[in-house]
Amino acid sequence: MTERYQNYVDGSWTDSETGETFETEDPAAPAEAVAEYQQSGAEDANAAVEAAAAAEDEWATTPAPERGAILREAGSILADRKEELTELLTREEGKTHAEAGGEVQRAIDIFYYYAEKTRDLGGDVKSASGPRTNLYTVDEPVGVAALITPWNYPIAIPAWKIAPALATGNTIVLNPASVAPGVALEIFKALDEAGIPDGAANVVTGPGSTVGDAIMTHDEVDAVSFTGSSEVGEMVYDKATDDGKRVQTELGGKNPTVVTDSADVDEAAEIVANGAFGVTGQACTACSRAIVHTDVYDEFVDAVVEQAESIEIGPGDEYDMGPQVTESELEGTLDYIEIAENEGATLATGGGQPEGDRFGDGYYVEPTVFTDVDNDYRIAQEEVFGPVLAVIEVEDFEDGLETANDVQYGLSASIVTDDHTEAERFVREVEAGVAKVNDKTTGLELHVPFGGFKRSSSETWREQGDAGIDFYTIEKTVYDGF
């Protein structure tokens, strides 16, 4: 029997006003339903926003360390349930057990991190120009925050929006992606058990086009944080800013790893393969372009193909790479593979769906490497969101850097080199919000800012670390003449 989830609004678990529900499926075995959720509508979204607005003053005036204590307790509850959350994430989203466990732990760590940050919230004291004046700033919560999150990191991304918003005294309404919402709702179970006041934290499941739009456009919402595709994110940004709301968007990527002639080729191949094929390539920071110096190109291709072919595919509880999350995502990846072949790229390995009993009707695709790719091919310019790597040959470092920047996105980028000068130039000149040296494009520390350039971000506010606190607070300057 599948578990049945409700919306969490104003401190209560409730069914939607629509009376409708939907089920999620296991991408490794699509005939198996995982859980049932509320197919909510605008009325449910509006009720959640109104509950958040009613709770705004109480939560904002709760001493920050008390808010932190609730976050810390919620983190502890999540930690106690880590294994069951890991299993739920694997069944709904398809990640391997190791990947899912790492993501759940990240969510736990985020709650602990922002719980501690509540002790340092406040402002700055400045020197006044005249006598008998105390001059200082106070950081206040923005108000009600609408949070809209994707399916590919279904607990980590909600956590890094929820925790800083609540830590700084904002009330929230979350609309998680319908493909894998279970672990996000488990966060609200933990917050409820930790004692968060009614209305401070609310979650409503249902389509983003209905629920997400309703919470984002509600007059009582003061800030909107969205993670998803560039196309949708740009519409969210335009609509929310037209209403005068504070907006933060983190969007798509077409992330390069530049491999120079001084690189250790085997190390480079391992770094690129981990970035390209980890989490089945379903990460906005996944490496989708390997830009390789001509002197090591052939050797690199052999090494990265060997890496790809060594990956064991299957259900996430046993194998190295799980399925794609839905049939439509799988079809999108297969479409891009066909497009790449039609454009003239050479299929070096992969490109199909694996066969065998263990794959059943699951949404599996082989780790895929294309060579002989020009940077103007669609496979090199558009986000695929699957385990597909385009290998591009370049003449020198200058050509590699120019090629890395020659896309509409700018989220994450890396270089593999043994030349410090090249590494320093790359970090300085690459057009990406995250730059890495001798490391994969994926993987983020939780205490530093995260965000992109160009179409990878609204380029307004960053997430995580102190940047997360900045987005959810507004400064007031005080002149105290006592």
Side-chain angles (χ1 to χ4, degrees), residues 47-331:
V49 174
E50 288 156 14
E56 187 178 344
D57 289 343
E58 177 189 355
W59 185 241
T61 55
T62 299
E66 288 187 28
R67 298 196 297 261
I70 291 173
L71 294 182
R72 189 178 305 107
E73 178 61 19
S76 295
I77 292 168
L78 294 175
D80 290 341
R81 299 173 182 167
K82 180 180 176 181
E83 185 55 34
E84 64 187 84
L85 297 180
T86 297
E87 292 176 3
L88 174 59
L89 200 162
T90 293
R91 289 192 66 212
E92 276 198 333
E93 199 271 348
K95 280 187 173 73
T96 68
H97 187 275
E99 291 166 343
E103 183 182 342
V104 172
Q105 186 60 53
R106 182 179 184 83
I108 294 164
D109 293 343
I110 287 168
F111 270 84
Y112 287 156
Y113 172 80
Y114 282 108
E116 293 306 310
K117 295 295 285 186
T118 59
R119 298 180 182 276
D120 295 324
L121 296 177
D124 296 317
V125 177
K126 302 293 184 181
S127 296
S129 300
R132 298 186 301 279
T133 299
N134 295 316
L135 182 62
Y136 58 95
T137 64
V138 176
D139 292 334
E140 297 186 346
V142 174
V144 177
L147 314 178
I148 304 171
T149 56
W151 52 261
N152 62 318
Y153 284 91
I155 191 168
I157 293 177
W160 79 48
K161 296 181 189 294
I162 292 167
L166 293 177
T168 49
N170 299 272
T171 56
I172 63 166
V173 181
L174 173 71
N175 175 220
S178 296
V179 171
V183 282
L185 270 75
E186 293 291 339
I187 291 177
F188 288 82
K189 285 186 180 181
L191 286 168
D192 181 58
E193 292 178 33
I196 197 163
D198 295 349
N202 308 271
V203 59
V204 180
T205 56
S209 58
T210 303
V211 176
D213 187 72
I215 64 173
M216 175 185 69
T217 58
H218 199 291
D219 288 344
E220 293 285 359
V221 166
D222 303 288
V224 177
S225 181
F226 171 90
T227 300
S229 72
S230 296
E231 291 74 18
V232 176
E234 286 159 4
M235 290 189 289
V236 167
Y237 181 82
D238 289 343
K239 188 175 288 188
T241 52
D242 284 347
D243 292 340
K245 303 182 193 302
R246 180 178 290 201
V247 186
Q248 166 194 78
T249 66
E250 295 305 334
L251 310 172
K254 194 64 184 172
N255 311 295
T257 295
V258 174
V259 179
T260 71
D261 58 342
S262 66
D264 180 311
V265 173
D266 288 336
E267 178 187 21
E270 183 177 359
I271 286 171
V272 168
N274 287 339
F277 307 129
V279 296
T280 321
Q282 297 178 136
C284 55
T285 55
C287 175
S288 57
R289 295 181 298 150
I291 300 168
V292 185
H293 193 287
T294 187
D295 288 353
V296 295
Y297 179 83
D298 291 338
E299 184 183 356
F300 173 84
V301 168
D302 290 343
V304 81
V305 165
E306 183 179 351
Q307 287 280 337
E309 292 177 346
S310 71
I311 295 171
E312 293 192 49
I313 311 168
D317 54 354
E318 296 182 55
Y319 294 93
D320 301 331
M321 192 181 90
Q324 295 216 246
V325 70
T326 62
E327 185 175 15
S328 63
E329 289 293 332
L330 171 63
E331 289 174 349

Side-chain angles (χ1 to χ4, degrees), residues 330-373:
L330 171 63
E331 289 174 349
T333 297
L334 294 174
D335 285 346
Y336 269 110
I337 290 170
E338 182 178 356
I339 288 167
E341 291 184 289
N342 291 338
E343 286 180 313
T346 299
L347 180 62
T349 192
Q353 295 179 258
E355 297 179 353
D357 291 343
R358 76 167 179 260
F359 304 112
D361 295 323
Y363 304 132
Y364 295 100
V365 63
E366 296 166 331
T368 300
V369 177
F370 279 102
T371 60
D372 304 314
V373 177

Side-chain angles (χ1 to χ4, degrees), residues 2-5 22-25 33-37 88 92:
T2 59
E3 182 165 359
R4 185 175 186 276
Y5 285 91
F22 66 93
E23 288 183 332
T24 55
E25 64 183 18
V34 178
E36 181 182 286
Y37 301 91
L88 174 59
E92 276 198 333

